[in-house]
Amino acid sequence: MTRTLSLGYSPCPNDTFIFYALVHGRIPLEGIQLRERLEDVETLNRLALDAVLDLTKISYHALGHLRRDYALLRSGGALGRGCGPLVVTRQAASMEALRGCTIAIPGELTTANLLLQLYGAGYENTSIMPFDRIMAAVQRGEVDAGVIIHESRFTFPSYGLVQVADLGAWWERETGHPIPLGGILARRSLGPELISRIDGAIRSSIEYAFAHPEETKGYIKRHSQELSDPVIESHIGLYVNEFSLDLGVAGQAAIEELFQRAERRGIIPSCQLPLFVD
């Protein structure tokens, strides 16, 4: 008997690269059929809060609110160095000057917003909008600044915008850890054996994509909002790395540090459950 599980991930190149082989039958997952759902990251965060999905990509900020019902997988996430969100404006400014200003963010539960709030007080006046609308909103003067993620890291100069801060670089200087952006979750109720199988299948899917990059291109481009090939390749190169294959000790330490800081600030609730189901 085949069991169907829902799987949520974003249409961004790193996610479609990671999950291509798994959802196209290149990686066997006996007895399991996956029903994929592609949504922007904040929509996925909200779906997970409503317990809609069995497996899903989420922001680590959202995971801080989901630890009771979901366990983190060791594979498939986005964590690294030099890949954090950027704060951009129309004209050169400082983070100090932006306190109290209106700042566009790609979602309340995104790690981008969590990093902004951890950076310091005075950045609570936020305007939530889809990540791909933020640069245009800043350009038009609808907001004072924007926190940009994903491929926007590579394209913001074309909007005439300037970088005020790299929140990922700030995190790395502050903690010494790589920056945890997003991870893959599984319902704890699926049980350790099935969760372990899924985790291994996602790692195999990434290895397949690295071994067959040309095969993945058509699927990636169908969902990448007409990005150019160089931007797609840069995006994958930045967000899919050794931590995507396995978080390892360094990745786990970074996540725990993020949660400890967020708990101390009262941004997320405390939780005694382990991150992983082993």
Side-chain angles (χ1 to χ4, degrees):
M1 180 177 175
T2 299
R3 181 177 183 180
T4 300
L5 299 178
S6 54
L7 166 64
Y9 54 93
S10 83
C12 293
N14 60 309
D15 282 351
T16 48
F17 178 85
I18 285 171
F19 289 106
Y20 166 82
L22 190 59
V23 301
H24 287 83
R26 303 297 190 269
I27 305 301
L29 194 53
E30 187 177 351
I32 299 297
Q33 180 177 345
L34 296 174
R35 184 179 69 250
E36 70 268 29
R37 178 169 177 176
L38 277 65
E39 302 281 0
D40 69 90
V41 67
E42 182 66 357
T43 299
L44 293 172
N45 291 338
R46 295 293 171 181
L47 290 171
L49 282 177
D50 292 335
V52 171
L53 300 167
D54 298 307
L55 310 162
T56 186
K57 172 74 172 287
I58 47 78
S59 302
Y60 276 110
H61 186 180
L63 175 55
H65 299 271
L66 293 166
R67 289 177 284 178
R68 186 189 66 180
D69 296 320
Y70 285 91
L72 180 63
L73 302 188
R74 299 183 183 277
S75 299
L79 187 150
R81 297 185 182 275
C83 60
L86 308 178
V87 180
V88 297
T89 56
R90 292 181 302 284
Q91 297 179 331
S94 66
M95 287 299 291
E96 181 64 30
L98 292 178
R99 294 183 193 275
C101 293
T102 303
I103 302 176
I105 58 171
E108 181 182 2
L109 293 175
T110 58
T111 306
N113 184 41
L114 177 56
L115 288 173
L116 179 66
Q117 303 313 318
L118 290 176
Y119 185 89
Y123 304 108
E124 298 84 8
N125 185 17
T126 57
S127 176
I128 299 171
M129 59 184 67
F131 83 91
D132 56 345
R133 288 184 47 208
I134 290 177
M135 291 185 294
V138 177
Q139 183 187 52
R140 291 192 296 265
E142 296 172 8
V143 292
D144 299 304
V147 182
I148 59 172
I149 58 175
H150 300 326
E151 59 269 13
S152 301
R153 284 182 56 94
F154 309 106
T155 58
F156 74 88
S158 68
Y159 287 77
L161 305 179
V162 294
Q163 177 180 318
V164 177
D166 183 328
L167 295 176
W170 166 79
W171 167 267
E172 291 177 42
R173 290 193 305 271
E174 183 81 4
T175 70
H177 293 300
I179 173 63
L181 296 171
I184 311 299
L185 303 187
R187 289 185 190 273
R188 290 184 184 272
S189 60
L190 295 178
E193 189 274 335
L194 179 54
I195 290 174
S196 178
R197 286 174 55 206
I198 292 167
D199 209 345
I202 293 173
R203 176 174 181 139
S204 295
S205 186
I206 300 169
E207 292 171 339
Y208 185 97
F210 277 133
H212 305 86
E214 292 299 318
E215 185 180 333
T216 68
K217 282 187 175 180
Y219 181 64
I220 293 168
K221 287 185 72 69
R222 283 203 303 275
H223 296 287
S224 63
Q225 301 183 31
E226 301 181 357
L227 295 177
S228 67
D229 286 347
V231 171
I232 289 173
E233 290 168 7
S234 296
H235 185 112
I236 294 170
L238 188 61
Y239 294 111
V240 187
N241 52 38
E242 69 274 14
F243 292 112
S244 303
L245 290 165
D246 191 315
L247 286 169
V249 174
Q252 183 172 343
I255 297 162
E256 290 172 347
E257 177 73 20
L258 184 71
F259 287 166
Q260 287 167 8
R261 288 176 177 244
E263 287 177 8
R264 287 199 297 268
R265 287 282 303 276
I267 298 173
I268 64 172
S270 62
C271 180
Q272 303 306 312
L273 290 170
L275 280 173
F276 307 99
V277 175
D278 293 320

